[in-house]
């Protein structure tokens, strides 16, 4: 067993963001998930069983995502039972290639429509390469 290196944990922020984006389908939520994951993980020393910092961080991200979903479900039940949450797919603009931005939005919409286990699998494959 070894401690998670707080200095090296920041090296995985891009991979975590891609995984969070695949899970949530929303850039804003993905940014919040990654930030919350790092706050939780770095708040105290973490012992790792394997030499896989990224794997540990992705697992922590997944747990943060589940917590987010639970909070949202409770919030929706309290504020308006039976209502469906609005789809949160902000248009992404790109000065260099608007067609690529449109395609990326369509891909994210398709990912968000997948059942949760499939989204997680695709996120893990994207992160792992």
């Amino acid at each position: 067993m070894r401690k998670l290196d707080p200095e090296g944990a920041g090296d995985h922020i891009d991979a975590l963001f891609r995984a969070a984006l695949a899970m949530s389908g929303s850039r804003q939520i993905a940014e919040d998930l990654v930030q919350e994951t790092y706050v939780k993980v770095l708040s105290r020393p973490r012992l790792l069983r394997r030499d896989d910092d990224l794997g540990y961080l992705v697992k922590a991200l997944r747990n943060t995502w589940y917590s987010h979903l639970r909070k949202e479900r409770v919030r929706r039940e309290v504020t308006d039972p039976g209502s469906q949450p609005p789809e949160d797919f902000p248009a992404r603009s790109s000065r260099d290639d608007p067609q690529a931005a449109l395609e990326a939005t369509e891909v994210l919409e398709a990912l968000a429509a997948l059942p949760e286990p499939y989204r997680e699998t695709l996120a893990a494959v994207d992160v792992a390469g």
Side-chain angles (χ1 to χ4, degrees):
M1 292 183 69
R2 69 175 183 82
K3 286 186 179 181
L4 175 69
D5 178 24
E7 298 295 324
D11 296 343
H12 305 293
I13 197 164
D14 290 336
L16 282 183
F17 177 74
R18 287 193 310 270
L21 190 58
M23 286 180 199
S24 68
S26 165
R27 185 172 194 81
Q28 181 180 4
I29 293 173
E31 290 171 353
D32 292 343
L33 289 172
V34 170
Q35 181 177 353
E36 188 175 339
T37 299
Y38 272 102
V39 167
K40 286 180 180 178
V41 168
L42 298 177
S43 65
R44 62 184 176 89
R46 304 293 174 147
L47 294 176
L48 304 180
R49 291 190 180 116
R50 298 185 199 130
D51 192 29
D52 184 17
D53 291 1
L54 180 58
Y56 180 84
L57 292 169
V58 168
K59 190 173 184 179
L61 175 70
R62 186 193 66 205
N63 292 338
T64 303
W65 171 238
Y66 288 157
S67 294
H68 171 80
L69 291 175
R70 280 190 296 275
K71 288 177 192 172
E72 284 297 308
R73 183 179 61 222
V74 169
R75 184 186 61 80
R76 280 194 311 268
E77 289 172 358
V78 168
T79 58
D80 189 16
S83 70
Q84 292 295 322
E87 292 297 322
D88 182 21
F89 298 110
R92 287 158 180 71
S93 62
S94 172
R95 288 180 229 162
D96 298 331
D97 190 0
Q99 181 63 31
L102 177 64
E103 290 172 3
T105 300
E106 290 173 353
V107 168
L108 291 175
E109 288 174 351
L111 284 172
L114 291 173
E116 190 169 325
Y118 295 113
R119 281 197 315 265
E120 288 180 0
T121 302
L122 285 173
V125 167
D126 183 48
V127 170

